[in-house]
Amino acid sequence: MSKKAKLYWAIGIIIAILVAALLIWHTFFFGKQNANATAATVGDQTYTTTEVSYYYYSVANGFTQQAQAYQQMGMDMGYDPSLSPSEQTYNEEEGTTYADYFLEQALDQLQQVSILCREAEAAGYTLSAEGEQSIQDNMDALYTYSVQSNAGSEESYLRMIYGRNMTKSLFKELLTKSILADEYAAVKSESFTYTDGELDDYYDAHAADLDSYDYRFCYINAEFEDKTDEDGNTVEPTEEETKAAMDAAAEKADKMIAEVRGGTAFNAAAQDYLDETSAESYSDPEYNHKTGDLGSTVTSTYREWLTDDSRQPGDLTSIEVENTGYCVVQFLGREKDTDSYQTMNYRSIQILAETTPSEDGSTALPTEDQLAASKEQAQGLLDQWKAGDATADSFAALAKENSADETTKENGGLHEDANRDSLDAALTDWLFAQGRQVGDTTVVESTDSSGNVTGYQVLYVESFGEIQWKYQATSSLRSEDYNQWYEDLQAKYPAELTEEGKAIPTL
């Protein structure tokens, strides 16, 4: 982990590690440890072998879980979960192993938690109710996974993951410190505030990143012949074949650009040079027409070209995507957008469609008729609201009475500080559409984590939060100031491993 990175200990990682351990705990060998031996120091505070092992195996298990997920997708991270980390080279030039890397990461995380807990105590900050609940949720998960693994007890399960000296009480203590550190990091970051003048100064220095862009693009893929060997394995194209395919794609891109310059609409021209499926998508004149993207969020493939100060409306280019094809981009405009928001508060009334259990007892997805019924119910609630005084309070009352969302219904269906970067596309497209006003309403589909439609929800715009460019400027300034604050504390409270600590990967 880079010491310049914004160091947040993710609350959810503990549960993730517990889940992963169901599959991977046996890949690590735990020898005899002196549980109370000092393994690391952070400033004037000391930490035992057991405590440092907790961070080491959290990192190692988390990395192994990620590598296993990549393997399941047919991808290779360069790390073999079935081998010991000490047997695998991490940095050949430096002569380090993955065990060395995991230990370095563990020390960074220990230092982070130690410093942030120290600062939280000095500031008089205590764990929130949400933090307390997170601890309880994790401890409940520990019990569940210990049963599933047939470990015999929660402590036996923890020893499988973190070594033979780990106890349930120590695990809870370390978990609590991690969650407190995470909370205080967020609190400290949000304590950095900036005047409009300071934000304007930041904008002037970073306009290319903070302006909003209007552009179109399409990818013209290099086409390769599918080849397999006698065993059915895919044969990669030769250098000559790759060059020929890339040259053909470049020629198509140049011809498309010539058509657009000759007066053909971008999406109409694109259809002549794409495969059948892609061409069908571009039959929609607005497909891949981007408006409102901040420069900082534009894909790196064409960000440099698009954000160049010399760019003029109508400019066209083709950009090579290594061994893949060419991207054709058309610049249409750029502005400092003072009307688009990054966050907002909105209310929703969730209406889930009825479902019919299958013969094996599992619940099937709703049928078209069941979805239609839920849509009709949602629309009926919206019509009922419009027929009344149509206020935020009356919408909240309907949400309390009718919403299936147990996390928000008691608060009148209110979603506070909803961020456009973390919502489902359907919600983002409507909530943050240009011209959206407080009090606007609609009915949209509700989907599950797999994208399946499960019902409908009624939406109501409560209020807007921060302007998009100001939000991004504030986030960047906070990151810089937080990192500087944290780096100063790192220098004040250095972290070091003892010989006992350095031996942890070999225990």
Side-chain angles (χ1 to χ4, degrees):
M1 181 182 297
S2 168
K3 293 186 178 180
K4 285 200 174 278
K6 192 172 184 180
L7 301 176
Y8 283 175
W9 177 262
I11 290 175
I13 195 171
I14 307 301
I15 289 180
I17 296 304
L18 290 171
V19 175
L22 286 171
L23 298 174
I24 65 180
W25 67 266
H26 61 276
T27 66
F28 301 108
F29 173 76
F30 300 94
K32 293 182 178 179
Q33 299 174 332
N34 182 349
N36 298 316
T38 297
T41 59
V42 179
D44 58 358
Q45 295 183 340
T46 61
Y47 295 89
T48 67
T49 302
T50 305
E51 290 171 313
V52 178
S53 294
Y54 164 84
Y55 290 100
Y56 174 83
Y57 288 109
S58 291
V59 172
N61 282 346
F63 198 89
T64 300
Q65 181 188 28
Q66 187 178 7
Q68 289 175 332
Y70 269 66
Q71 284 183 343
Q72 291 174 358
M73 295 185 290
M75 303 168 66
D76 183 9
M77 281 181 59
Y79 177 76
D80 188 344
S82 67
L83 299 177
S84 167
S86 61
E87 297 175 355
Q88 303 184 63
T89 301
Y90 174 72
N91 188 313
E92 189 170 347
E93 184 176 327
E94 296 179 2
T96 55
T97 67
Y98 272 94
D100 298 324
Y101 170 69
F102 295 157
L103 191 56
E104 178 186 359
Q105 298 295 293
L107 187 62
D108 279 349
Q109 292 186 356
L110 170 61
Q111 182 184 32
Q112 174 205 356
V113 171
S114 177
I115 288 174
L116 290 172
C117 286
R118 186 194 296 257
E119 291 299 303
E121 181 179 2
Y125 181 83
T126 56
L127 205 58
S128 68
E130 291 80 6
E132 295 285 0
Q133 184 60 52
S134 180
I135 293 170
Q136 186 58 54
D137 290 344
N138 276 277
M139 298 309 292
D140 291 344
L142 169 63
Y143 171 77
T144 299
Y145 299 134
S146 67
V147 171
Q148 292 177 356
S149 68
N150 296 316
S153 70
E154 292 165 292
E155 291 210 339
S156 295
Y157 182 69
L158 287 172
R159 289 169 188 151
M160 291 177 180
I161 309 171
Y162 301 111
R164 66 178 65 206
N165 295 310
M166 180 57 67
T167 64
K168 183 178 176 181
S169 61
L170 178 57
F171 171 76
K172 185 175 182 179
E173 177 186 333
L174 295 171
L175 170 64
T176 301
K177 288 180 178 179
S178 294
I179 294 175
L180 175 62
D182 186 80
E183 282 195 0
Y184 187 70
V187 168
K188 183 62 183 181
S189 178
E190 291 170 3
S191 73
F192 296 110
T193 57
Y194 310 95
T195 65
D196 284 343
E198 289 171 324
L199 293 176
D200 285 335
D201 288 343
Y202 187 85
Y203 169 83
D204 290 341
H206 302 85
D209 288 336
L210 298 176
D211 276 346
S212 294
Y213 292 80
D214 183 357
Y215 63 99
R216 295 179 182 273
F217 72 94
C218 79
Y219 284 93
I220 296 178
N221 294 319
E223 297 180 357
F224 299 96
E225 181 182 353
D226 291 333
K227 292 183 178 180
T228 57
D229 60 21
E230 57 186 16
D231 296 322
N233 300 312
T234 300
V235 176
E236 297 297 327
T238 65
E239 289 185 13
E240 291 77 10
E241 290 170 335
T242 298
K243 184 179 184 305
M246 289 295 289
D247 288 346
E251 183 178 358
K252 289 181 180 179
D254 290 341
K255 288 182 177 179
M256 176 184 164
I257 289 174
E259 277 196 37
V260 177
R261 285 177 176 159
T264 304
F266 187 94
N267 281 23
Q271 295 175 61
D272 294 335
Y273 302 99
L274 301 173
D275 60 64
E276 184 177 347
T277 301
S278 298
E280 183 177 350
S281 296
Y282 278 89
S283 64
D284 176 356
E286 289 303 299
Y287 183 74
N288 272 350
H289 177 197
K290 298 294 184 179
T291 59
D293 286 1
L294 294 188
S296 60
T297 67
V298 171
T299 180
S300 59
T301 301
Y302 44 80
R303 181 186 301 148
E304 183 178 356
W305 180 85
L306 193 71
T307 61
D308 190 296
D309 289 339
S310 66
R311 199 62 52 230
Q312 295 294 317
D315 282 357
L316 287 154
T317 193
S318 65
I319 299 172
E320 180 179 354
V321 183
E322 186 177 7
N323 297 334
T324 302
Y326 281 81
C327 181
V328 179
V329 190
Q330 182 181 38
F331 176 86
L332 299 175
R334 163 181 171 178
E335 66 174 346
K336 181 182 182 180
D337 189 348
T338 58
D339 297 319
S340 294
Y341 292 85
Q342 182 72 30
T343 61
M344 71 157 54
N345 297 332
Y346 73 95
R347 295 182 186 273
S348 69
I349 304 173
Q350 182 84 34
I351 305 298
L352 294 178
E354 292 186 2
T355 55
T356 305
S358 60
E359 293 183 359
D360 61 3
S362 62
T363 301
L365 291 172
T367 63
E368 290 187 10
D369 288 344
Q370 289 169 330
L371 285 172
S374 67
K375 184 177 183 179
E376 183 178 354
Q377 183 182 353
Q379 186 62 51
L381 289 170
L382 179 55
D383 293 342
Q384 178 184 338
W385 174 79
K386 288 180 177 180
D389 57 11
T391 63
D393 288 342
S394 61
F395 193 97
L398 279 178
K400 285 183 179 181
E401 295 172 5
N402 299 280
S403 182
D405 185 351
E406 296 296 335
T407 61
T408 65
K409 67 180 298 182
E410 292 306 315
N411 198 24
L414 182 62
H415 299 257
E416 295 185 284
D417 297 323
N419 193 308
R420 67 190 300 151
D421 293 336
S422 58
L423 295 174
D424 291 342
L427 285 175
T428 299
D429 290 346
W430 187 83
L431 288 171
F432 293 95
Q434 193 168 8
R436 183 65 58 227
Q437 300 290 322
V438 170
D440 284 356
T441 57
T442 193
V443 173
V444 299
E445 292 178 344
S446 291
T447 57
D448 60 19
S449 58
S450 300
N452 299 308
V453 179
T454 56
Y456 287 82
Q457 57 183 316
V458 189
L459 302 180
Y460 171 86
V461 177
E462 177 93 359
S463 61
F464 293 105
E466 293 186 79
I467 293 294
Q468 192 175 15
W469 80 260
K470 286 189 175 183
Y471 177 92
Q472 296 299 333
T474 299
S475 296
S476 296
L477 285 168
R478 280 178 172 170
S479 180
E480 292 173 6
D481 288 338
Y482 178 91
N483 286 341
Q484 186 58 60
W485 170 81
Y486 183 75
E487 286 174 18
D488 291 343
L489 289 172
Q490 280 184 307
K492 185 178 179 181
Y493 303 110
E496 295 182 6
L497 290 168
T498 66
E499 292 304 315
E500 289 276 357
K502 292 176 184 178
I504 283 176
T506 63
L507 292 173

